[in-house]
Amino acid sequence: MPFPAVVAAVLLELLSAVVTAAGCSTSCGNISIPYPFGIEPDCYHEGFNLTCDYLYRPPKLFLGDGTVEVLEISIPNGTVRINSTNIMPMSHDIDGASRPNTSRYHTWGGLRERGPFFVAPDRNKFLVLSCNNIQVILMGEDNSTINACATYCPSLGNSDAQPQLIRYLLLHGECSGLGCCNGGIPKGYTSYHIQLQPSNDSSSDAKSSVYIAEEGSYNISKLMSEPRGVALPALLDWVISNSSCQKQNSVAPGCRSSNSFFQNYTSYVYNGYQCRCSAGYRGNPYILDGCQDIDECVHKEAHSCHGICENTPGTFYCRCPDGTYGNPSIEGGCIKITNYSAGLIIGIVISGVSILLLALSAPFVTRMVKLRKVKKMREKLFNQNHGLLLQQLISQKADIGERMMFTLGDIEKATNNFDKSREVGGGGHGVVYKGILDLHVVAIKKSKIVVQREIDEFINEVAILSQINHRNVVKLLGCCLETEVPLLVYEFISNGTLYHHLHVEGPKSLSWDDRLRIALEIARALAYLHSATSMPIFHRDIKSSNILLDESLIAKVSDFGASRYIPIDQTAVMTAVQGTLGYLDPMYYYTGRLTDKSDVFSFGVLLIELLTRKKPYVYRSDNDAGLVAHFVSSLKKGDLADIVDPQVMEEEDDGELQEVAMLAAMCTRLEGESRPTMKEVEMALENLRARKKPAPCNSAAMRYDGDQIVVQYNSIEDLLAKKDMPVEGGAEESSRQYTMEEEIMLSARYPR
C-alpha cells in the first residue's frame, strides 16, 4: 500500500473514536467509554485509564497500558467485561504432538494489584477442561489454597474415542469431573496462581485448558471440540475508592451526582465502594448531574399505570381519568361513574377518609412489615443452615441445647451491632469480635466467605465440638444460624496468640521453660482430639497464630474452621487440600489423604518454630532451603547453634534442646507412617518436663489405664528407639527433608 494510503487509513481509524469538546474520547471502535474511564490524561479517575489500539480494525480497547482487552463497560452494573485467555495451553513439540505442560505454577493476571478491578465472584467460574486425570489448585495472591477441582477420563483403547465419549457425556450431564470440572471464585482478588498436578498415567495426546470465565458465556461440549487457546469473556467488578464508607448517610466523594448513593464493596482482601443512581433515576453517578430522572410516563404500562400518569422527580403519580374511579395500577381498574356529581362527592369523601386512615396507620404498618420480613428471612436462613437438624443432634443434652442456640438479636446486642471497635482479630476465614453474652465475655467469629458446600459439614462440626471439654482447647459455647453464614461463639482468651508472643522485636521472647510447657499443652490437646473424643478430630491447620494464650500463658488450640472428623473405624479421609504453607504435611498436600499424622507434621514444624523463632512460611536459608530442611540438616551436622534461637541455647539445660530437636525432626519425617502419634509425642514431652523429679526404678515405667497398659517413655531416646530412629548423630533418617518441590517429586510413588 502506498505511504499516503497508509496515512489515510490510520486517520480513518482515528476518526472512529468520538471526542468530546473537552478533548476526551467517548468511544473506541464500538465500545462506549463513560467516566470514570478515559483514554487521554485528565479524562479519567485514577486507576481507570484505558488504551485504544488503532492498529486493529475496528480499534480495540484495553485496560491500563494495553494488556487486558475490554469488551464492554457497564456503569449501572459496576462491571467491565474482558477477554480472558486460556491460562494453561498445552505445549507443542516440534513434531506437532501436544503434551501436558509440566510447569507447576501458572498465573492469571493482568489487573493492577490492589484494584480497582477484581474478578466478580458470582458471575465467573474457575473452569478446567482436560482429557487427563489431573488436579488443578486455585490459589490467591497470598498463595493460600482457595479452591480445587479434578478431572477424570476413562482409559480407552481408541485414542479418538475418548474425546467423543467426553463430548457425549457433557451433552447429557454436568461439568462434574469427567473431562471437565469447575468451581467458584472468592471475592476481592486481582490475580490467581494455578497449580497443575497431573497423574502418572496421563496420556500424551490429551489436551488441557484452564479458564476464569463468565458463567453462561460458553458451551462446554462445543468448547471441548475447539482448539485450545480460545479466549472466553470474564466479568470484573470495580470500585471507585479503596476505602469503605462506615455510615449510610455519610458523603462518598466519588459519588458526584446529587441523586446517587454509595454501596460498599467488601471482601477479606479488599474494601471499597461503588456508586449507584437513586431509585427513579438512571445515568452516571460519577459525574455532576449524571443521574437523571426517569420519565416513567413515557412507558407507563411498564410501570403498572393504566390511568393518567404524571411524572415527578424520582417517581410518578398515577390516577384514574376524570369521571372514573378505581385502581389505575391494573388494566381496566378505572370504572366510569354513572352520576358524575354524586360519584365525585362520594369519591372525595372516600379518598379523604382513606388518606387519613393510611396516614395514621402507615408508620405502624411499615414497622410490622419490616419486622415480619426480617423474621421470615431469619427463619429461612435458620432452616437453610439445618437448624432443626442441629437441634435434634443436641436434644439429648437439653442444657447444652438451650445454651448453644443464640439469636441474631443476642449477637448484635453483644457486639454493638458488629461495631468495628469490637474487632479483636481475624484470619482467612473470618473476623473475631469481642462481646458480652449472659454476663460472660465471649469471642464471636463471623465468616467472610459463603461456601454453601461447607454448611452441611458445619452442623456436624458444631455437634462434635460442643462435646470437647479440654483445658487446652478453646471452648465452643454456641452458634447463631439466623445469618447467611453461621456465627460461632467461643470463650474469650485475652492474651493474644503464640505467634505474637514468640515473634516480638528484640533478642528476648518467651522463656525456654514457657516454650516447652506450651508445646506440651498443645500436644495434650491434639492427643485428646485424635484419641479421646467420641469421633477423632483432625485440626488440619496447626500453626502459632492459631494457638491462643490466656493471662497465665496457658495454651489454647483455636480456629477449627478447617478441622475434619472421621468415623472411629477409619484412619483417613480424602479432602480438598487446606492449610497453611510452611506447616502443611507434604504427603497430604500431594495425595489429599488426611490422617492424624498430618497434624503431627504441623506440630513438628511448630516445635521448630519454638526452637528457632523463625517463621516457617517465609524462611529461606542461604542455599534456599526451607525451615524444616535447614533445621534437620543442622541437627544432622550437630550444628544447632547455627539456627536455634540464642535465648534457647542460653536457657536450656541438660540436653533438653537436643531431645526436643530430635522429636521435631521425627514429627516432620516425609513418610507419615514413620512419625509418632500425638499420644507418643505428649508422653515424650511429659517425661522431658518431669525428668528432674525422682525417676521410677525402671527406665521405662508401666502404668495401668483401664483395660490397657500404657508405656511411659522416660526420655525421647526411648521413643526414637521405638520408631527405629538413630539417636546419635542427630537424626540420620530424618535427613530425608527437602523443599516442597522435592518432597512432592519423592511422593510420586504414592499415587492418589
Side-chain angles (χ1 to χ4, degrees):
M1 182 182 294
F3 180 73
V6 173
V7 174
V10 173
L11 290 176
L12 183 62
E13 296 294 347
L14 292 175
L15 290 176
S16 65
V18 180
V19 180
T20 65
C24 297
S25 300
T26 59
S27 69
C28 175
N30 58 357
I31 302 175
S32 298
I33 306 175
Y35 188 84
F37 297 86
I39 296 175
E40 295 81 9
D42 300 326
C43 291
Y44 54 82
H45 187 80
E46 182 182 358
F48 288 79
N49 57 302
L50 304 174
T51 297
C52 188
D53 193 336
Y54 302 104
L55 296 179
Y56 295 93
R57 296 186 181 182
K60 288 187 177 182
L61 190 62
F62 295 87
L63 289 179
D65 59 359
T67 57
V68 178
E69 183 183 357
V70 176
L71 304 178
E72 181 187 19
I73 298 173
S74 173
I75 294 295
N77 296 330
T79 59
V80 173
R81 184 170 282 106
I82 64 170
N83 232 4
S84 176
T85 58
N86 178 17
I87 299 173
M88 198 181 305
M90 297 300 297
S91 60
H92 294 272
D93 291 344
I94 297 176
D95 60 2
S98 73
R99 293 177 172 82
N101 193 329
T102 56
S103 300
R104 292 185 65 247
Y105 290 98
H106 305 264
T107 300
W108 185 96
L111 306 180
R112 193 172 74 170
E113 186 178 357
R114 303 297 297 169
F117 301 101
F118 308 92
V119 176
D122 54 344
R123 296 289 301 276
N124 295 280
K125 282 288 187 182
F126 164 49
L127 176 67
V128 179
L129 303 175
S130 178
C131 285
N132 267 346
N133 301 335
I134 63 171
Q135 183 181 46
V136 181
I137 299 175
L138 180 68
M139 296 179 290
E141 297 161 350
D142 55 357
N143 285 330
S144 60
T145 299
I146 54 180
N147 211 334
C149 74
T151 62
Y152 166 76
C153 288
S155 179
L156 299 175
N158 184 356
S159 61
D160 295 330
Q162 190 177 56
Q164 295 175 6
L165 173 63
I166 297 301
R167 284 194 292 274
Y168 173 80
L169 292 175
L170 287 174
L171 284 172
H172 298 82
E174 299 179 349
C175 182
S176 59
L178 187 58
C180 170
C181 68
N182 60 30
I185 298 178
K187 185 178 183 181
Y189 285 106
T190 58
S191 65
Y192 300 87
H193 300 302
I194 312 295
Q195 182 179 0
L196 174 67
Q197 295 182 350
S199 67
N200 293 334
D201 59 351
S202 297
S203 58
S204 61
D205 61 344
K207 299 179 180 180
S208 299
S209 287
V210 180
Y211 296 93
I212 289 179
E214 182 180 6
E215 188 173 11
S217 67
Y218 50 83
N219 181 289
I220 296 297
S221 59
K222 182 179 178 181
L223 199 59
M224 288 289 293
S225 63
E226 292 182 350
R228 294 301 185 261
V230 62
L232 297 177
L235 207 63
L236 306 180
D237 288 332
W238 50 273
V239 294
I240 196 66
S241 172
N242 60 358
S243 60
S244 58
C245 298
Q246 300 301 321
K247 298 181 180 178
Q248 289 300 321
N249 59 354
S250 62
V251 177
C255 306
R256 302 176 65 188
S257 179
S258 57
N259 297 301
S260 65
F261 66 97
F262 71 87
Q263 189 173 51
N264 279 332
Y265 181 95
T266 59
S267 70
Y268 68 92
V269 293
Y270 191 88
N271 291 327
Y273 68 88
Q274 301 171 328
C275 298
R276 297 281 188 270
C277 286
S278 303
Y281 295 85
R282 66 182 166 205
N284 191 337
Y286 300 101
I287 62 176
L288 293 175
D289 299 323
C291 294
Q292 297 294 317
D293 174 53
I294 300 173
D295 189 351
E296 292 88 352
C297 296
V298 174
H299 302 286
K300 62 179 184 178
E301 288 80 7
H303 294 87
S304 300
C305 180
H306 298 274
I308 296 176
C309 181
E310 297 178 6
N311 185 60
T312 59
T315 184
F316 67 98
Y317 173 65
C318 186
R319 64 179 178 84
C320 286
D322 294 341
T324 64
Y325 72 96
N327 184 358
S329 63
I330 61 175
E331 189 172 1
C334 293
I335 304 172
K336 187 176 180 179
I337 301 175
T338 304
N339 188 328
Y340 179 79
S341 300
L344 180 62
I345 294 173
I346 294 173
I348 292 175
V349 172
I350 293 175
S351 298
V353 173
S354 299
I355 292 173
L356 179 61
L357 292 175
L358 183 63
L360 293 175
S361 62
F364 175 76
V365 173
T366 301
R367 178 175 175 81
M368 293 299 296
V369 169
K370 287 183 177 179
L371 290 175
R372 184 174 179 82
K373 185 177 180 180
V374 169
K375 182 179 179 181
K376 283 189 174 182
M377 178 57 71
R378 292 181 179 179
E379 290 176 351
K380 176 183 176 182
L381 293 172
F382 182 86
N383 294 329
Q384 178 179 307
N385 293 331
H386 308 294
L388 297 177
L389 174 60
L390 179 60
Q391 285 180 333
Q392 293 176 2
L393 289 172
I394 61 178
S395 61
Q396 295 179 351
K397 297 183 178 181
D399 56 335
I400 292 180
E402 294 172 1
R403 185 170 68 255
M404 283 193 63
M405 308 299 287
F406 296 105
T407 67
L408 181 58
D410 294 334
I411 303 297
E412 290 175 338
K413 183 177 179 181
T415 60
N416 194 18
N417 201 21
F418 299 104
D419 192 288
K420 196 170 184 65
S421 63
R422 296 290 185 93
E423 292 184 12
V424 294
H429 294 285
V431 179
V432 178
Y433 294 86
K434 180 180 179 180
I436 299 178
L437 276 173
D438 300 331
L439 301 180
H440 290 88
V441 181
V442 297
I444 299 171
K445 184 175 180 180
K446 182 180 182 183
S447 295
K448 293 180 179 178
I449 309 174
V450 179
V451 182
Q452 186 60 41
R453 63 184 173 80
E454 294 182 355
I455 297 297
D456 295 338
E457 296 177 1
F458 163 84
I459 302 305
N460 288 327
E461 275 189 31
V462 170
I464 288 184
L465 290 177
S466 66
Q467 303 175 41
I468 294 179
N469 185 16
H470 193 278
R471 73 188 301 261
N472 297 121
V473 176
V474 173
K475 179 65 176 175
L476 175 69
L477 302 177
C479 62
C480 172
L481 303 180
E482 296 178 357
T483 56
E484 189 172 10
V485 182
L487 306 172
L488 300 180
V489 181
Y490 294 93
E491 65 173 321
F492 183 74
I493 307 301
S494 60
N495 207 9
T497 67
L498 174 60
Y499 175 90
H500 291 109
H501 281 267
L502 193 61
H503 300 292
V504 295
E505 296 293 335
K508 294 293 184 180
S509 177
L510 292 169
S511 69
W512 166 245
D513 188 62
D514 282 336
R515 297 187 206 186
L516 197 56
R517 175 184 50 77
I518 289 171
L520 173 58
E521 291 169 348
I522 299 169
R524 287 171 178 164
L526 291 177
Y528 169 82
L529 294 173
H530 288 185
S531 58
T533 55
S534 59
M535 282 192 181
I537 300 173
F538 300 161
H539 189 280
R540 202 158 56 149
D541 198 15
I542 291 297
K543 56 184 176 181
S544 57
S545 58
N546 281 345
I547 307 300
L548 301 179
L549 301 178
D550 66 10
E551 60 277 1
S552 302
L553 295 182
I554 300 299
K556 304 272 187 176
V557 178
S558 72
D559 198 345
F560 288 82
S563 64
R564 290 294 302 269
Y565 71 93
I566 63 171
I568 198 166
D569 59 343
Q570 296 183 19
T571 59
V573 63
M574 298 299 295
T575 74
V577 177
Q578 190 169 347
T580 302
L581 291 180
Y583 298 88
L584 196 60
D585 175 13
M587 294 304 294
Y588 168 49
Y589 176 82
Y590 175 72
T591 65
R593 185 173 182 268
L594 178 68
T595 71
D596 59 336
K597 299 301 179 69
S598 302
D599 279 350
V600 174
F601 184 92
S602 300
F603 177 80
V605 178
L606 183 59
L607 271 183
I608 296 174
E609 185 178 0
L610 285 167
L611 289 170
T612 63
R613 281 184 67 190
K614 302 290 191 300
K615 300 175 183 178
Y617 53 90
V618 297
Y619 177 81
R620 281 292 180 270
S621 66
D622 293 339
N623 59 357
D624 201 34
L627 180 60
V628 173
H630 187 192
F631 179 85
V632 174
S633 176
S634 299
L635 176 63
K636 181 181 178 182
K637 296 175 183 177
D639 189 19
L640 285 175
D642 178 52
I643 189 171
V644 170
D645 181 11
Q647 181 183 352
V648 172
M649 299 291 295
E650 178 183 344
E651 295 180 3
E652 71 94 13
D653 185 33
D654 196 22
E656 295 171 337
L657 168 61
Q658 185 71 17
E659 293 193 38
V660 176
M662 288 191 291
L663 180 61
M666 192 171 187
C667 290
T668 55
R669 295 175 80 176
L670 182 60
E671 296 180 352
E673 295 82 358
S674 301
R675 302 170 196 158
T677 65
M678 282 311 306
K679 189 64 178 176
E680 290 172 328
V681 173
E682 175 195 1
M683 293 164 59
L685 289 173
E686 188 81 59
N687 285 287
L688 178 61
R689 287 271 296 167
R691 187 171 56 188
K692 293 183 179 180
K693 297 180 181 180
C697 297
N698 300 324
S699 60
M702 307 290 288
R703 64 179 175 87
Y704 183 77
D705 185 8
D707 295 330
Q708 296 179 337
I709 296 179
V710 181
V711 179
Q712 289 185 313
Y713 301 102
N714 286 332
S715 68
I716 290 176
E717 283 86 348
D718 294 336
L719 177 58
L720 299 177
K722 177 178 180 289
K723 290 290 181 180
D724 298 326
M725 178 176 176
V727 176
E728 297 181 0
E732 184 68 29
E733 187 64 24
S734 290
S735 63
R736 292 178 59 191
Q737 305 287 333
Y738 303 94
T739 64
M740 182 63 75
E741 290 79 4
E742 292 168 328
E743 288 171 342
I744 297 306
M745 293 187 67
L746 279 177
S747 303
R749 64 177 183 272
Y750 298 97
R752 296 178 193 272

